[in-house]
Amino acid sequence: LIADCSFPLARGIATVTVLGPSLSIAEMHTGNFTQGQTNATYTVTVSNAPTAGPTVGGYLGVVTASDQLATGLTATAIAGTGWNCTLATVSCTRSDALLPGASYEPITVTASVAANATSPLGNFLRVITGGSSATATTSTIVLGPPSIVSGGIVNAASFLTTGLAPGELMSIFGSNLSTSSVTCFTGGVAPTTCSSTSILINGSAVPLYFVSPAQVNIVVPFGITGSTATVQASVQGVLSSPVTIAVAPVAPALFTSNNSGTGIGLFRMNSGGALVTAANPAHPGDVLQMYANGLGTTHPVVADGIAAPASPLSYADANIVVTVGGVPAVVSFAGLMPGQVGFNQVNFTVPQGIPGNPTVVLSANGVFSNSVTLPMVGTALRLVPMTPCRIADTRTATGPFGGPAITGGTS
């Protein structure tokens, strides 16, 4: 090699700025936790700022994330893709580089909640690596266990304690019955678990129509038997105290427009489906649809929690009688409402010769429902002129009108 040293070397000082990582750590959870819960989960995410440099990686760039759980929480599992986790310290490490603006795969921390845990619970998180560290806190609301109030299991139409009947839509009232409010019946199916809530009848989960912290609507299985049954609420795996309630073949009730079980009933015109109201009243001879509950078993059988089909229709096995203003009406259909669960539909013809706004009552196998009002224009009263007449008893003529004499001067 021949070196050419005829050119002088340029000398100077160059400044190079090396950006270090800027990590952050965050923890999330879904909904509130429940005292006694065993499957409470947190998701921990470690991220690097977009304007920072990457983590070093390798031995010198080990990233350590830790979660100091609050008193009342006990970690039962910790794991994350790419992380090496230790349950005893509730911490995880990894040594691969984290680029600017990126995040590692999340860490899942599973914990049990003490039965006497107070609310809120605060966790302390820390992430550290060469040249960067960060901390964060998180707060969790803890609810008490679910509870069903005394007398809180009622017919969803009349709100009376009619007992559990096959296919009946029931309302259950209490506290901490769910972590959120959700209409569970969607797509023609009522699931047995909704928003971490289940209702157990004799230990088996039943279809749910709606759940909220204070009220849950369920559909009683068609195959329920016996004279009594136990009902429990399960929220995030935590059970309420059992409640014993009677079981009956039928528990008829009529829905009302104000959802109270009293007042104007829920009626629709069979032709067109318009709602019957004071502004759109029924008339004698109209065929109406009436919405009922608790009519019992049906044929053909429809699976629990599945919407009733429009064809074939499913008819009530019970003997159904409808009276309007005390007058029996002709019933053309009584059974499951197509497209729904827990609702019965009864079609009947409004009788002639009854006054306006009559009371409507339904009976199933002789068991009577609540009474509701039908907005209706009544049959007008027709006056028939009559010629006065006199009837005489001619067997004896001693009375003043040709009849027998009676004390008081009449005959």
Side-chain angles (χ1 to χ4, degrees):
L1 295 177
I2 299 174
D4 184 355
C5 300
S6 60
F7 297 96
L9 295 175
R11 294 192 176 123
I13 299 174
T15 302
V16 177
T17 302
V18 178
L19 295 176
S22 179
L23 300 184
S24 62
I25 187 168
E27 185 173 62
M28 297 180 61
H29 64 279
T30 302
N32 300 320
F33 292 168
T34 301
Q35 289 176 336
Q37 184 179 347
T38 59
N39 59 348
T41 58
Y42 290 101
T43 300
V44 179
T45 304
V46 174
S47 305
N48 196 5
T51 57
T55 58
V56 176
Y59 177 78
L60 296 177
V62 173
V63 175
T64 301
S66 61
D67 190 353
Q68 182 179 329
L69 298 183
T71 301
L73 293 174
T74 302
T76 57
I78 181 169
T81 303
W83 292 93
N84 297 311
C85 299
T86 304
L87 179 60
T89 56
V90 197
S91 63
C92 299
T93 62
R94 64 190 302 158
S95 57
D96 53 322
L98 181 62
L99 297 178
S103 300
Y104 285 128
E105 290 292 328
I107 301 168
T108 299
V109 179
T110 305
S112 60
V113 184
N116 60 348
T118 58
S119 183
L121 297 175
N123 295 346
F124 179 78
L125 299 105
R126 179 187 295 275
V127 61
I128 187 169
T129 188
S132 178
S133 65
T135 60
T137 58
T138 186
S139 181
T140 306
I141 301 298
V142 178
L143 305 175
S147 176
I148 301 173
V149 300
S150 177
I153 305 176
V154 297
N155 186 298
S158 64
F159 295 96
L160 300 175
T161 53
T162 54
L164 304 177
E168 183 182 5
L169 187 65
M170 302 292 294
S171 292
I172 299 176
F173 294 94
S175 59
N176 302 322
L177 296 177
S178 176
T179 58
S180 59
S181 297
V182 180
T183 298
C184 310
F185 175 66
T186 57
V189 177
T192 54
T193 300
C194 182
S195 187
S196 299
T197 293
S198 297
I199 299 297
L200 311 179
I201 295 181
N202 292 334
S204 298
V206 302
L208 301 173
Y209 197 97
F210 167 81
V211 299
S212 71
Q215 177 181 347
V216 173
N217 288 353
I218 68 168
V219 183
V220 179
F222 284 106
I224 190 169
T225 58
S227 58
T228 62
T230 58
V231 180
Q232 284 180 286
S234 173
V235 179
Q236 301 189 124
V238 180
L239 289 172
S240 70
S241 298
V243 175
T244 301
I245 186 170
V247 174
V250 293
L254 301 179
F255 288 94
T256 56
S257 59
N258 61 5
N259 296 318
S260 70
T262 61
I264 296 175
L266 196 54
F267 303 93
R268 289 188 182 277
M269 299 292 183
N270 191 55
S271 177
L275 190 66
V276 177
T277 64
N280 183 41
H283 295 78
D286 285 343
V287 179
L288 304 181
Q289 298 174 2
M290 177 172 64
Y291 299 126
N293 189 19
L295 300 189
T297 58
T298 61
H299 64 277
V301 175
V302 176
D304 292 332
I306 304 299
S311 179
L313 292 171
S314 188
Y315 292 81
D317 293 327
N319 179 42
I320 306 300
V321 176
V322 175
T323 58
V324 182
V327 178
V330 175
V331 176
S332 52
F333 171 73
L336 298 181
M337 180 180 177
Q340 278 289 347
V341 293
F343 286 84
N344 294 121
Q345 178 177 323
V346 178
N347 295 3
F348 67 94
T349 302
V350 180
Q352 300 285 345
I354 55 177
N357 300 326
T359 295
V360 177
V361 178
L362 176 147
S363 68
N365 288 347
V367 180
F368 291 91
S369 72
N370 54 317
S371 61
V372 300
T373 300
L374 171 64
M376 194 194 87
V377 176
T379 303
L381 179 64
R382 186 164 64 93
L383 299 179
V384 179
M386 298 182 67
T387 301
C389 61
R390 182 176 66 187
I391 299 175
D393 186 345
T394 57
R395 291 175 298 176
T396 170
T398 56
F401 299 107
I406 301 176
T407 302
T410 62
S411 65

